[in-house]
């Protein structure tokens, strides 16, 4: 899923486990209840996304953008 674009997407309760998501964009996405477990999220963009009740554990979060989250 590297460089995938999920901008403005509704990913309510989506589950991503042990994925490589480097440079992936979730700008303004609805990530309510999402489960991100053991993912490689280097330089992922979550700016403006909605992360209520999200579970983000393990993995790599180097240089992620959480502007206006």
């Amino acid at each position: 899923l590297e460089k995938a674009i999920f901008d403005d997407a509704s990913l309510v309760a989506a589950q991503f486990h042990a994925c490589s998501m480097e440079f992936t964009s979730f700008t303004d996405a609805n990530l309510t209840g999402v489960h991100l477990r053991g993912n490689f999220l280097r330089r992922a963009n979550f700016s403006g996304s909605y992360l209520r009740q999200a579970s983000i554990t393990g993995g790599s979060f180097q240089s992620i953008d959480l502007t206006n989250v």
Side-chain angles (χ1 to χ4, degrees), residues 28 52 62 65:
D28 298 320
R52 185 172 199 158
Q62 183 182 24
D65 185 350

Side-chain angles (χ1 to χ4, degrees), residues 15-66:
Q15 296 187 27
F16 297 97
H17 298 258
C19 296
S20 180
M21 304 175 102
E22 187 173 13
F23 295 102
T24 297
S25 181
F26 295 96
T27 301
D28 298 320
N30 182 354
L31 301 172
T32 301
V34 73
H35 293 273
L36 298 169
R37 187 175 310 140
N39 295 293
F40 181 68
L41 293 164
R42 195 180 116 198
R43 297 190 185 226
N45 184 355
F46 289 91
S47 63
S49 63
Y50 191 73
L51 289 164
R52 185 172 199 158
Q53 298 176 334
S55 174
I56 303 172
T57 58
S60 174
F61 307 103
Q62 183 182 24
S63 300
I64 62 173
D65 185 350
L66 295 170

